Amino acid sequence: EVLLVESGGGLVKPGGSLRLSCAASGFTFSSYTMNWVRQAPGKGLEWVSSISGSSSYIYYADSIKGRFTISRDNAKNSFFLQMNSLRVEDTAVYYCARGYCDRTTCYNWFHPWGQGTKVTVSS
Amino acid sequence: DIVMTQSPDSLAVSLGERATINCKSSQSLLKSFNNRNYLAWYQQKPGQPPKLLTYWASTRESGVPDRFSGSGSGTDFTLTISSLQADDVAVYYCQQYYSTPPYTFGQGTKLE
């Protein structure tokens, strides 16, 4: 069974930092693009960042560029989101989600998703 | 960036009736080299993560009931639930994965 489990969320003051983790199991982790998607309270879904299997390709949403850093450790089947200079508007549930890759190409629809970790930025 | 716009924002449908949700993209999601539309649909129930329903606009994910069907091409897409069940009450999102990021979602349609 493919499983994704997030951790690392919590309450932080504006300007603070948090590091989210996503532990993966049930598939060949290094072969897949991994993603972070967030959902502010009562709002819709917002893609945040993606990292390819070899970390060769990394992308960020404009809203977090320069403040967040995505990384992965294929030996530990985990990937991360380092969030610095946090703002009130970063308050959200952060989901990790896997992309889809066949033998030659990766496509970024998201399946499966983790249960999410809540990040609250407030003074 | 590709903008995804869903309609309606909310929808009330009786049990057993058909539900139709629309999604429009600001540019075509069809790639000619493989004739595929780069669009996915998700269902999100309260307190749960989203669940993939369809990809390539109309390919149902394994385990998704066949009452869910996706259709459309280019810039106009539809998710249809042929006979609404109580368990289908949720928010539905479309998402494009056409090119390099950002991968954008529609604003969501709340089905009641």
Side-chain angles (χ1 to χ4, degrees):
Chain A
E1 179 193 6
V2 176
L3 196 61
L4 300 173
V5 180
E6 302 95 338
S7 60
L11 174 63
V12 62
K13 289 182 168 52
S17 298
L18 277 177
R19 188 186 195 224
L20 306 184
S21 300
C22 178
S25 60
F27 63 100
T28 305
F29 180 72
S30 60
S31 296
Y32 287 85
T33 296
M34 301 301 296
N35 307 272
W36 290 99
V37 178
R38 70 183 180 183
Q39 186 169 36
K43 301 298 185 183
L45 301 168
E46 180 189 16
W47 168 82
V48 172
S49 183
S50 298
I51 184 167
S52 64
S54 61
S55 303
S56 299
Y57 300 97
I58 288 175
Y59 302 99
Y60 298 102
D62 287 345
S63 58
I64 58 90
K65 201 172 291 182
R67 300 187 297 122
F68 292 9
T69 302
I70 193 171
S71 61
R72 64 190 295 160
D73 183 341
N74 287 342
K76 295 184 177 180
N77 287 354
S78 296
F79 77 114
F80 312 97
L81 188 67
Q82 177 66 43
M83 304 187 296
N84 298 331
S85 303
L86 281 161
R87 304 168 179 170
V88 171
E89 55 265 35
D90 295 319
T91 295
V93 174
Y94 285 72
Y95 296 102
C96 62
R98 191 186 72 174
Y100 173 79
C101 296
D102 60 22
R103 288 184 180 181
T104 59
T105 311
C106 290
Y107 306 97
N108 259 7
W109 65 76
F110 305 123
H111 175 72
W113 299 59
Q115 287 298 311
T117 187
K118 188 175 182 180
V119 172
T120 303
V121 185
S122 175
S123 54
Chain B
D1 297 355
I2 299 175
V3 177
M4 306 299 292
T5 304
Q6 292 180 226
S7 62
D9 290 333
S10 63
L11 181 62
V13 177
S14 301
L15 295 178
E17 296 297 305
R18 177 188 298 258
T20 301
I21 299 170
N22 301 301
C23 175
K24 189 174 185 68
S25 58
S26 61
Q27 68 180 70
S28 177
L29 303 182
L30 176 64
K31 293 199 177 186
S32 55
F33 83 95
N34 61 5
N35 199 36
R36 285 179 163 176
N37 288 282
Y38 284 56
L39 181 105
W41 285 98
Y42 301 87
Q43 175 194 63
Q44 187 178 31
K45 297 179 181 179
Q48 296 185 20
K51 171 189 172 184
L52 177 69
L53 296 175
T54 70
Y55 52 94
W56 297 133
S58 60
T59 301
R60 202 178 298 115
E61 171 61 19
S62 175
V64 173
D66 60 7
R67 64 180 181 274
F68 291 91
S69 63
S71 61
S73 184
T75 62
D76 293 282
F77 302 91
T78 299
L79 177 70
T80 301
I81 308 171
S82 60
S83 178
L84 191 74
Q85 306 297 304
D87 189 52
D88 301 335
V89 170
V91 180
Y92 292 84
Y93 296 93
C94 60
Q95 177 237 333
Q96 65 80 17
Y97 49 96
Y98 180 81
S99 63
T100 52
Y103 305 114
T104 46
F105 293 87
Q107 80 276 18
T109 295
K110 187 174 184 179
L111 179 56
E112 298 170 319

